[in-house]
């Protein structure tokens, strides 16, 4: 009965929930997208380009950024620049924000999306890898957001943070990755409270994604999970819309929101079912 009631309530919320997305608001918007050379970040850049935004792209591989930049121009970006940067280096975030502010004259959107290589394997005890991943997936996000807050505040801007279901609900084979995503939720949800309490008009949108069909995700999960992947362009559009609508949270696919509610109500049976989606044979 409780499961049915929760499902009905969540279904009604999903049915009546409409975002306030106005595509025209993105024409001329000044956007910085991290992890923009591939996967979801690349698709996010293409959506902003179609909406006529002014964009700065960043990731490590310059040649690939160049190609994404060229495609953005054909799609309708009003202005576009790129800056190669490795987010495992603590000095890079500030440089990237300075570059974007200098090229665009300010920022309206900061989309934090990059990640370091996810191993998708059992915990091996590699503490150095966890430390490195925290730098790339979490600390660099904090540093980028901190450096961008003054310009975002001036422009009633938006911070958009790309996270994962495994940042809400721990899943197997993602120990370090899951920790970095939980850290993002803790930091940015707390920051959202403070910004609201201080009446500083910067929205914080946390995006909770399920498995998405990017090359990297398909490669590291191959043969290990029985879950079908959703399309990256759709995930990217949900992120762009959620940021523009100043939503607190975006779930993609949408049913993840109901799944999280159910898991919070029934964690033990939820975890049992969850484990059946993973291939595992004990050594
Ligand atoms: P990809 O692996 O496809 O892309 C990662 C991006 O980050 C690339 O542009 C890569 O470019 C860049 N990057 C990697 N290392 C660094 C680094 N050290 N410094 C700066 N940039 C770096 O990832 P996805 O598109 O699959 O994921 C995007 C976001 O979506 C992530 O936040 C991820 O956690 C989230 N997500 C993805 C899911 C999925 O199934 N795909 C599921 C749930 C969440 P380069 O190599 O040029 O540096």
């Amino acid at each position: 009965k409780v499961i049915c009631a929760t499902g009905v309530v969540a279904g009604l919320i999903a049915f009546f929930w409409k975002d306030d997305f106005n595509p025209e608001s993105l024409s001329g918007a000044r956007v910085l997208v991290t992890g923009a050379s591939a996967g979801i970040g690349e698709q996010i850049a293409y959506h902003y380009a179609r909406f006529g935004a002014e964009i700065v792209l960043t990731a490590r591989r310059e040649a690939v950024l160049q190609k994404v930049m060229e495609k953005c121009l054909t799609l309708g970006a009003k202005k576009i620049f790129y800056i190669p940067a490795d987010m495992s280096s603590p000095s890079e975030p500030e440089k990237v924000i300075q570059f974007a502010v200098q090229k665009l004259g300010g920022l309206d959107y900061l989309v934090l999306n990059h990640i370091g290589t996810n191993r998708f394997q059992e915990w091996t005890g590699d503490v150095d890898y966890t430390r490195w991943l925290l730098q790339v997936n979490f600390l660099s996000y904090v540093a980028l957001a901190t450096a961008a807050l003054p310009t975002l505040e001036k422009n009633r801007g938006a911070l958009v943070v790309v996270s994962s279901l495994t940042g809400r609900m721990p899943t197997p084979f993602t120990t370090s990755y899951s920790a970095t995503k939980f850290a993002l939720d803790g930091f940015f949800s707390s920051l959202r409270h403070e910004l609201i309490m201080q009446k500083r008009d910067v929205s914080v949108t946390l995006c909770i994604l399920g498995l998405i069909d990017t090359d990297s995700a398909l490669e590291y999960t191959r043969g290990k999970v029985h879950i079908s992947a959703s399309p990256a362009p759709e995930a990217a559009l949900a992120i762009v819309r959620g940021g523009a609508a100043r939503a607190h949270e975006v779930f993609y696919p949408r049913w993840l929101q109901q799944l999280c509610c159910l898991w919070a109500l029934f964690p033990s049976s939820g975890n049992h079912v969850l484990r059946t989606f993973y291939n595992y044979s004990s050594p």
Side-chain angles (χ1 to χ4, degrees):
K1 271 185 191 165
V2 178
I3 295 177
C4 281
T6 312
V8 168
V9 170
L12 284 171
I13 291 169
F15 182 78
F16 288 110
W17 182 78
K18 290 189 184 76
D19 66 28
D20 299 323
F21 176 59
N22 170 15
E24 276 155 31
S25 69
L26 292 177
S27 175
R30 296 161 299 176
V31 186
L32 170 60
V33 183
T34 75
S37 64
I40 298 166
E42 178 185 353
Q43 298 301 324
I44 291 173
Y46 296 152
H47 284 303
Y48 279 119
R50 288 187 193 96
F51 291 123
E54 300 181 3
I55 311 165
V56 171
L57 311 169
T58 187
R60 291 167 306 173
R61 290 169 297 159
E62 182 162 7
V64 194
L65 285 172
Q66 174 89 37
K67 284 198 181 132
V68 176
M69 182 177 87
E70 282 158 18
K71 184 159 175 195
C72 284
L73 277 174
T74 67
L75 290 173
K78 291 233 168 73
K79 284 186 192 168
I80 183 141
F81 306 91
Y82 69 82
I83 174 167
D86 184 340
M87 290 298 160
S88 65
S89 159
S91 58
E92 292 298 88
E94 201 167 333
K95 270 197 236 161
V96 169
I97 298 296
Q98 274 174 6
F99 174 88
V101 169
Q102 187 215 330
K103 292 293 181 191
L104 304 179
L107 275 178
D108 302 299
Y109 291 91
L110 171 60
V111 184
L112 299 170
N113 161 80
H114 63 276
I115 41 164
T117 310
N118 185 2
R119 291 181 174 166
F120 206 78
Q121 62 184 30
E122 285 166 63
W123 173 242
T124 58
D126 189 347
V127 178
D128 284 341
Y129 166 71
T130 307
R131 194 173 289 118
W132 173 83
L133 202 67
L134 268 171
Q135 175 62 46
V136 178
N137 289 12
F138 172 62
L139 293 174
S140 73
Y141 279 45
V142 172
L144 283 156
T146 304
L149 265 177
T151 178
L152 291 175
E153 193 175 353
K154 214 161 122 193
N155 303 308
R156 287 194 66 245
L159 266 169
V160 181
V161 179
V162 181
S163 188
S164 162
L165 181 64
T166 196
R168 268 292 154 87
M169 206 171 116
T171 54
F173 312 132
T174 55
T175 42
S176 304
Y177 173 76
S178 176
T180 66
K181 294 299 191 184
F182 267 83
L184 287 178
D185 196 342
F187 183 88
F188 284 98
S189 301
S190 173
L191 181 66
R192 185 193 299 113
H193 275 305
E194 292 180 21
L195 291 168
I196 293 169
M197 289 158 83
Q198 295 160 359
K199 300 194 180 2
R200 294 165 74 191
D201 205 355
V202 179
S203 60
V204 179
T205 301
L206 190 77
C207 306
I208 293 151
L209 309 183
L211 184 63
I212 309 298
D213 66 359
T214 60
D215 292 345
S216 60
L218 293 182
E219 196 186 315
Y220 63 66
T221 57
R222 187 167 299 127
K224 295 180 179 168
V225 293
H226 314 284
I227 302 168
S228 56
S230 305
E234 256 187 40
L237 186 58
I239 292 166
V240 171
R241 291 177 66 110
R246 304 175 85 76
H248 286 187
E249 292 187 336
V250 167
F251 289 85
Y252 179 85
R254 288 277 285 274
W255 53 264
L256 289 187
Q257 189 167 17
Q258 286 92 303
L259 185 74
C260 288
C261 291
L262 278 174
W263 178 76
L265 284 171
F266 308 102
S268 176
S269 36
N271 283 331
H272 181 75
V273 174
L274 179 89
R275 285 191 287 273
T276 65
F277 286 93
Y278 292 77
N279 275 338
Y280 181 72
S281 49
S282 44

